[in-house]
Amino acid sequence: MVKKIHLIAACGTGMGTLACILKDMGYSISGSDQNVYPPMSDFLADKGVKLFEGYDEANLDHSPDLVVIGNAITRHNVEAQAVLKKGIPYISMPQAVNKFIAKDKKIILVTGTHGKTTTSSIMAHILFEAGMDPSFMIGGILKDFNSSFRIGNGEYMVIEGDEYDTAFFDKGPKFMHYDPDIIIMTGIEFDHADIFTGIDHIKTVFSKFVKKNEKTSHIIAFDNNDNLNQILTASKASVETYGNKGQWSFSNHMQKTSKTFFDVQGPDKAICVETDLVGRHNLFNCLACIAAAHRIGINDQIVCRALKTFSGIKRRQEVRGIKQGITVMDDFAHHPTAVRETIKAVKPFYKDGRVIAVFEPRTNTSMRNVFQDIYPDSFLDADMVCVCEPQVKKNIPEKEKFSIRKLVADIETKGISAYHFENSDAVINFLKPELRSNDLVLIMSNGGFDNIHNKLLESIE
């Protein structure tokens, strides 16, 4: 009988969420990770999960009954090697989700290159407001629940579906492990250059996923994405579209102070929506969830109430503090499209000041030069750009490495002030005398970024 479960790479968003779920279900949980940083490290600590910093065979001395190995772990990892040597049973994260959590649920799976976390969170909130007592497992912390997960007694579970590989012993995508009732597909672009060779490789993976589920799942797909359209055109799946020309679309988009208003047109339906979310990308995320709610049978009044009361997700356009009229905002954006859309979304709210974009390219893809010529245009709506050397190091061949100095030079050719920094302290020392009231400092990284947000706020006098 499984009582004690250990997770290797426990601070990843998915793994950390799984650790907390299993803890709440009554299992004794421990975990280890090399990169321990908030908010997940704080979240795990609050849940009482014993966390080891760094990987070591000694982390297994308490003899766990089962080990969940995250996809960040290679076969050569010292702790993974100890698991194999000791003969401890092990599984991947999606296998654990199926085994312990999702086996009796109707799954709403959100997939795609962008917007998965926000779309999943909106969907979970709608289900909750509808009184459907949903479960969810999402790669971000929902402010309305102060959690990245929930285990309810209702029939639906929302899962953020990742196309990244599952584990060193299972190189297939995580989302292939699930059998969803509804699939939301937000679009496909090239990403994860460490495991995918190009966009055709990614399209092949998504094609297999659609093929696997085409007879059992209903797909709600973003129609403004050629890569996704190509996949779905060749599919026999039940498909509903949303976007500029989809079966679900929006019009009359207006911003009033911090609120967004827009009208939604759907099959035999028109509703008016109010939300705190900003940016066209987030309105598309809302559309996908409105279509899914309609499919389930949730009435319009509840959907509108849910969108109006949705508080957002930590690290998604999250204001970390305002001091001397200077706003410090945290966002997870790292892909060029996400960086562009995030800056564009917040720009209208800071017309009396400057949008200063602080960017740490630390993902496996952004640390490679695949987007070297694309990134500069992502910063066109910024007034100033500060690019920092990533605080994590990866073994990337020299000819494939991304050049931050070239990015800064290319941004400057577009008439925007841009600067290169070796570390977060250098960024803070530069910004401290530079900042003035009404400025927004938009900090974009998918990591902890050396707690730059709080350090910067503390430096402002």
Side-chain angles (χ1 to χ4, degrees):
M1 178 181 291
V2 175
K3 293 183 179 179
K4 294 186 292 183
I5 304 174
H6 180 75
L7 293 88
I8 306 178
C11 282
T13 50
M15 289 285 282
T17 299
L18 175 62
C20 294
I21 293 175
L22 295 173
K23 179 71 174 178
D24 277 5
M25 293 176 71
Y27 294 97
S28 174
I29 303 298
S30 61
S32 59
D33 207 303
Q34 190 166 347
N35 299 306
V36 175
Y37 54 80
M40 189 55 75
S41 58
D42 293 341
F43 194 45
L44 290 169
D46 290 344
K47 285 291 183 181
V49 173
K50 181 175 177 57
L51 192 61
F52 300 98
E53 185 159 2
Y55 301 119
D56 195 307
E57 183 173 349
N59 295 345
L60 302 169
D61 285 350
H62 61 295
S63 301
D65 303 308
L66 179 69
V67 174
V68 183
I69 301 179
N71 68 344
I73 301 303
T74 70
R75 183 180 294 275
H76 305 293
N77 176 279
V78 61
E79 209 164 306
Q81 285 286 312
V83 169
L84 298 174
K85 182 177 72 175
K86 293 173 180 288
I88 303 173
Y90 62 91
I91 57 177
S92 66
M93 188 199 81
Q95 284 177 312
V97 172
N98 277 334
K99 177 179 176 66
F100 294 103
I101 308 162
K103 58 184 177 181
D104 297 321
K105 302 290 186 181
K106 285 185 177 179
I107 295 173
I108 300 175
L109 192 72
V110 182
T111 70
T113 307
H114 306 296
K116 292 188 293 293
T117 299
T118 301
T119 305
S120 301
S121 301
I122 296 169
M123 192 70 241
H125 187 65
I126 291 174
L127 290 167
F128 182 80
E129 287 295 305
M132 300 183 75
D133 197 13
S135 302
F136 60 79
M137 182 172 173
I138 296 170
I141 296 176
L142 283 68
K143 292 181 181 179
D144 291 305
F145 298 92
N146 194 30
S147 177
S148 56
F149 72 93
R150 182 177 188 272
I151 301 301
N153 294 315
E155 62 179 338
Y156 284 100
M157 179 171 187
V158 181
I159 297 177
E160 181 176 335
D162 191 356
E163 72 271 23
Y164 208 82
D165 60 1
T166 300
F168 71 77
F169 50 88
D170 178 358
K171 303 311 290 182
K174 290 193 190 80
F175 58 36
M176 292 295 284
H177 287 271
Y178 303 118
D179 298 312
D181 188 62
I182 295 174
I183 302 169
I184 294 176
M185 304 186 77
T186 65
I188 303 170
E189 291 189 61
F190 182 60
D191 200 2
H192 306 309
D194 52 322
I195 62 169
F196 293 116
T197 57
I199 187 61
D200 288 340
H201 188 185
I202 293 179
K203 285 161 64 176
T204 297
V205 165
F206 274 91
S207 293
K208 289 180 179 177
F209 173 69
V210 170
K211 182 69 175 176
K212 169 183 175 284
N213 296 289
E214 67 180 2
K215 294 182 180 178
T216 57
S217 304
H218 177 68
I219 296 175
I220 297 171
F222 184 51
D223 77 333
N224 295 31
N225 185 270
D226 290 340
N227 296 319
L228 181 53
N229 288 337
Q230 289 168 21
I231 288 171
L232 296 177
T233 298
S235 169
K236 298 177 182 176
S238 165
V239 178
E240 200 171 356
T241 59
Y242 69 96
N244 289 335
K245 298 178 181 178
Q247 292 159 277
W248 294 86
S249 61
F250 70 82
S251 60
N252 300 326
H253 172 206
M254 293 186 298
Q255 297 287 160
K256 291 183 180 179
T257 60
S258 62
K259 301 291 184 182
T260 301
F261 299 86
F262 60 104
D263 296 333
V264 173
Q265 292 79 42
D268 303 317
K269 183 182 291 292
I271 57 176
C272 301
V273 176
E274 174 187 341
T275 178
D276 288 340
L277 294 169
V278 299
R280 287 176 59 84
H281 62 302
N282 276 324
L283 303 196
F284 287 132
N285 295 336
C286 289
L287 275 184
C289 295
I290 293 169
H294 178 69
R295 174 81 178 182
I296 292 168
I298 301 173
N299 73 49
D300 297 344
Q301 186 177 1
I302 292 174
V303 171
C304 290
R305 184 182 71 208
L307 292 172
K308 185 176 181 178
T309 59
F310 178 66
S311 300
I313 312 107
K314 290 185 178 180
R315 306 214 62 203
R316 270 52 173 195
Q317 297 173 13
E318 180 187 13
V319 174
R320 295 288 292 269
I322 302 173
K323 203 168 179 182
Q324 301 295 339
I326 300 160
T327 303
V328 176
M329 181 180 288
D330 185 14
D331 198 89
F332 204 69
H334 47 274
H335 187 281
T337 301
V339 170
R340 183 190 70 228
E341 293 300 321
T342 300
I343 297 173
K344 185 181 296 184
V346 301
K347 178 78 171 178
F349 297 92
Y350 296 90
K351 293 178 180 178
D352 296 330
R354 299 168 298 169
V355 173
I356 300 171
V358 179
F359 180 52
E360 182 195 28
R362 72 182 294 279
T363 66
N364 281 305
T365 305
S366 61
M367 291 173 72
R368 289 171 164 81
N369 57 18
V370 289
F371 293 134
Q372 186 75 61
D373 297 330
I374 298 174
Y375 266 120
D377 286 341
S378 297
F379 294 92
L380 291 179
D381 285 309
D383 298 292
M384 179 189 295
V385 181
C386 301
V387 189
C388 185
E389 292 287 345
Q391 303 305 291
V392 295
K393 305 300 178 185
K394 299 184 186 295
N395 295 321
I396 298 172
E398 194 65 33
K399 66 179 182 179
E400 296 179 18
K401 283 185 179 179
F402 181 75
S403 171
I404 289 178
R405 292 186 185 277
K406 185 178 188 308
L407 171 62
V408 167
D410 289 345
I411 293 172
E412 288 184 320
T413 64
K414 298 177 182 296
I416 300 167
S417 299
Y419 305 90
H420 165 262
F421 299 93
E422 292 294 334
N423 54 57
S424 60
D425 287 341
V427 176
I428 293 170
N429 290 336
F430 170 77
L431 287 177
K432 184 179 177 181
E434 174 72 25
L435 294 175
R436 52 184 183 256
S437 183
N438 297 318
D439 282 348
L440 166 69
V441 183
L442 173 61
I443 299 173
M444 293 174 287
S445 170
N446 77 326
F449 206 164
D450 198 26
N451 199 27
I452 188 174
H453 323 81
N454 289 339
K455 288 181 179 179
L456 179 59
L457 285 165
E458 288 171 1
S459 76
I460 299 171
E461 297 175 350

